[in-house]
Amino acid sequence: MVREIPDVVIQRLPQYLRAVRSLKDKGASLVNSKELGIESDVTPAQLRKDLSYFGKFGKQGNGYRVETLLKDLIRILGLDHSWPVILIGVGRLGNAILTYPDFTPEGFHVQSAFDSDPKIIGTEVSNITIKPVSSMEQYIIENKIEIAILAVPGESAQDLIDSLVESGVRGILNYAPITPKVPNHIQIQTIDPVHALQSMTFYLAENRIHQ
Amino acid sequence: MVREIPDVVIQRLPQYLRAVRSLKDKGASLVNSKELGIESDVTPAQLRKDLSYFGKFGKQGNGYRVETLLKDLIRILGLDHSWPVILIGVGRLGNAILTYPDFTPEGFHVQSAFDSDPKIIGTEVSNITIKPVSSMEQYIIENKIEIAILAVPGESAQDLIDSLVESGVRGILNYAPITPKVPNHIQIQTIDPVHALQSMTFYLAENRIHQ
DNA sequence: CGATGTGAAGCGTTTCACAGCA
DNA sequence: TGCTGTGAAACGCTTCACATCG
C-alpha cells in the first residue's frame, strides 16, 4: 500500500481534522461519511476515498469512531508532537501573528522572532524578545528549526526565503505578496488576501453584467 | 467563444497580474510566455492556454506587450474600478487588516468596520469609527456593499456569514477558522494559516522518516 | 523565422456503483 | 441490512506539438 498520495488530499486533511473535532465537541462518538462530508464540505465518496489512502478507519455498516479517527488524523498529519516555529518580520502583521492564540493549541509553538529594524529589535511581544535578523541563520541551525513564518515586505522576502532554505528550514508560511521560488523539496504556502479578493471580483463583475 | 472558464484559471489571474506588474517595474515593454511563466511560476504552455480563454493578447513571433496585457488583466478581473469593502470584527487581526496598506492600491477600499464589543464600538482605527455589528445589515443594504472581510472568532462566524449573504453581500474573505457554508452563487475564500501549516507538517514528518 | 494560440493526448482527481464486511 | 472501501468510469486540467501568423 505505497500508493502516491495526491497533494489535494493532503490539503483536505486539516479540514477533516477540524470537522471531526467539531463533531466530537457536539458529543458524537460515531459518525458516518455523510455527516463528516457535510461538516467538511466534501462529498461522502470523496471523504471515504481520501481516508482510504491511509488505511481503513471505519466499521462497515456503522461509520467511524470519532475518538480513534481524531487520533489517526493527528498522527497522519504529524501533529502528535509540537513543532517549533520562528517568525521573521514583526511589523503590524507580525505582531498580530505573535499574539494569535490559535497556533499553540494546534501544534505550533512560535519560540522566537526576528526583525531588521533597530527600533523593534530588543522589544518584547508576547513574552518573546525580538532578535536581529542577522542572527536568524545561526538560530535556525542551533535549534534545528524546520518551520518559519515570513511576514516581511515583498522587497526583502525572496532573499530571506533563500536564506531560510539554506539554513535548513523545510516549511515556510509566506505572508509576503510575492510568487516565491523555492527548491522542490521545500514546502511553502503563501497567504495572500489581495490575491483572494482579486479572483473574487472576476465573478462579481461577471455576474453584474449578466443580471 | 463562450467556453466555461475553469476556476483554477481564475485563481491564477492575480498571479499573472502581479508578474506583469513586476516585469513592467523592471522596465520590460515586451515579454514572452516563457518569461511570464518564470515570474508567475507556471509553464509557458499553461500561461498561454489560460490567457486564451479570454481572447488573443500576444503578437505571434514577438510575445505580449506589457502595457496592454496589464490593462487587459485588470479589466478581466474587474479591477478597473475600486470595490467598497466592509470589515466585521476589529480584534487583533481586524486591527491589522484595517491598517494593512495593500488593499487600497489593489482596488479595495475598506470603508467601514463593525464589532460587537462595546469597548471597541466608537473607537477609531485608521480614520474609521467602529460601528456596532447590529447596524451592519442596514449599512450593507444602504451602501450596496458587495464584499465583506470577516475577522471574528469561529463561534460567531457562520451566523454572521448567513447575515452578510442575506443582506446582499456576494463575496466574503473569511479569516474565521471554520469550514463555511454558503449558497452556490456566493464567492467565499477562507484564509487559514493553521490549516496551511498542518498540511505542511504531513510532508515534514513523512520526509523525516525517509532520511 | 519565432512565439502565439489551440486541438488533441495525457494525466490526475472526482464520482460512481457495488462487493465485502460488521 | 447499512455503510465502508475501492476498482472503474467520468470528468477536468495540464501538457504537447504544431499550424498559424506577424
Side-chain angles (χ1 to χ4, degrees):
Chain A
M1 231 274 299
V2 197
R3 277 173 292 181
E4 190 60 41
I5 298 162
D7 269 12
V8 278
V9 174
I10 308 301
Q11 299 298 323
R12 281 192 292 265
L13 293 181
Q15 228 170 99
Y16 299 155
L17 176 57
R18 172 172 297 150
V20 174
R21 282 220 178 97
S22 163
L23 290 166
K24 188 192 172 193
D25 289 349
K26 286 175 186 161
S29 65
L30 200 65
V31 293
N32 60 33
S33 61
K34 192 182 167 193
E35 297 165 314
L36 261 172
I38 289 170
E39 195 68 22
S40 28
D41 206 28
V42 300
T43 62
Q46 182 158 89
L47 184 118
R48 295 201 302 275
K49 186 90 183 178
D50 283 358
L51 291 182
S52 79
Y53 283 101
F54 304 97
K56 302 186 181 197
F57 302 98
K59 307 269 172 212
Q60 277 160 326
N62 276 279
Y64 302 86
R65 290 252 303 282
V66 169
E67 201 55 55
T68 56
L69 184 56
L70 186 60
K71 283 205 186 92
D72 286 329
L73 284 170
I74 286 173
R75 181 181 45 75
I76 291 167
L77 283 168
L79 297 169
D80 39 11
H81 67 90
S82 174
W83 292 82
V85 172
I86 60 169
L87 170 72
I88 327 296
V90 194
R92 275 180 297 266
L93 178 59
N95 248 283
I97 291 169
L98 275 183
T99 51
Y100 186 62
D102 281 10
F103 286 125
T104 306
E106 297 286 350
F108 303 94
H109 174 59
V110 183
Q111 68 171 43
S112 203
F114 301 84
D115 204 289
S116 62
D117 184 344
K119 288 195 287 294
I120 291 174
I121 294 165
T123 62
E124 198 169 292
V125 181
S126 283
N127 296 319
I128 291 174
T129 304
I130 314 305
K131 298 181 177 65
V133 78
S134 56
S135 68
M136 179 187 85
E137 299 205 356
Q138 199 189 344
Y139 186 93
I140 291 169
I141 294 165
E142 284 176 0
N143 294 275
K144 296 192 171 57
I145 300 295
E146 298 183 279
I147 301 177
I149 302 177
L150 193 63
V152 301
E155 303 82 68
S156 45
Q158 185 62 55
D159 283 351
L160 282 165
I161 288 171
D162 295 345
S163 178
L164 288 169
V165 170
E166 194 161 332
S167 312
V169 163
R170 297 191 295 141
I172 300 172
L173 184 62
N174 171 46
Y175 281 90
I178 63 162
T179 302
K181 277 105 190 167
V182 291
N184 279 332
H185 65 285
I186 301 294
Q187 299 300 317
I188 187 160
Q189 299 232 19
T190 295
I191 285 188
D192 191 337
V194 166
H195 191 126
L197 284 172
Q198 287 181 335
S199 47
M200 261 183 225
T201 51
F202 171 81
Y203 296 101
L204 300 191
E206 196 186 39
N207 288 348
R208 199 177 256 171
I209 295 161
H210 295 327
Q211 76 197 5
Chain B
M1 232 273 299
V2 196
R3 278 172 290 180
E4 190 61 40
I5 297 161
D7 270 12
V8 278
V9 173
I10 307 300
Q11 300 297 322
R12 280 193 291 266
L13 293 181
Q15 227 170 102
Y16 299 155
L17 176 57
R18 172 173 297 151
V20 173
R21 283 220 178 97
S22 164
L23 290 165
K24 188 192 171 193
D25 289 348
K26 286 174 186 162
S29 65
L30 199 65
V31 293
N32 59 34
S33 62
K34 193 183 166 192
E35 298 166 313
L36 261 173
I38 289 171
E39 195 68 23
S40 28
D41 205 27
V42 300
T43 62
Q46 182 157 90
L47 184 118
R48 295 202 303 276
K49 187 87 180 177
D50 283 358
L51 291 182
S52 80
Y53 283 102
F54 305 96
K56 303 185 180 196
F57 302 99
K59 307 268 172 212
Q60 275 161 330
N62 276 279
Y64 301 86
R65 290 251 304 281
V66 169
E67 201 54 56
T68 55
L69 185 55
L70 186 60
K71 282 205 188 95
D72 285 329
L73 284 171
I74 287 173
R75 181 181 43 78
I76 291 166
L77 284 168
L79 297 168
D80 40 11
H81 67 89
S82 174
W83 292 81
V85 172
I86 60 168
L87 170 72
I88 327 296
V90 194
R92 274 180 297 266
L93 177 60
N95 248 282
I97 290 169
L98 274 184
T99 52
Y100 185 63
D102 282 10
F103 285 125
T104 305
E106 297 286 350
F108 302 95
H109 174 58
V110 183
Q111 68 172 42
S112 203
F114 301 84
D115 205 288
S116 61
D117 184 343
K119 287 195 289 294
I120 291 174
I121 294 165
T123 62
E124 197 169 291
V125 181
S126 283
N127 296 319
I128 291 175
T129 303
I130 314 305
K131 299 180 177 65
V133 77
S134 57
S135 68
M136 179 187 85
E137 299 206 355
Q138 198 188 345
Y139 187 93
I140 291 168
I141 294 165
E142 283 177 0
N143 295 276
K144 296 192 171 58
I145 301 296
E146 298 183 278
I147 300 177
I149 302 177
L150 193 62
V152 301
E155 303 81 69
S156 46
Q158 185 62 55
D159 283 351
L160 282 165
I161 288 171
D162 295 345
S163 180
L164 288 169
V165 170
E166 194 161 332
S167 312
V169 163
R170 297 191 295 141
I172 299 172
L173 184 62
N174 171 45
Y175 281 90
I178 62 162
T179 302
K181 278 106 190 164
V182 292
N184 280 332
H185 65 284
I186 301 295
Q187 300 300 316
I188 187 159
Q189 300 232 20
T190 296
I191 285 188
D192 191 336
V194 166
H195 191 125
L197 284 171
Q198 288 180 334
S199 47
M200 263 182 222
T201 51
F202 171 82
Y203 295 102
L204 301 189
E206 196 186 38
N207 289 347
R208 199 176 254 173
I209 296 162
H210 295 326
Q211 75 195 4

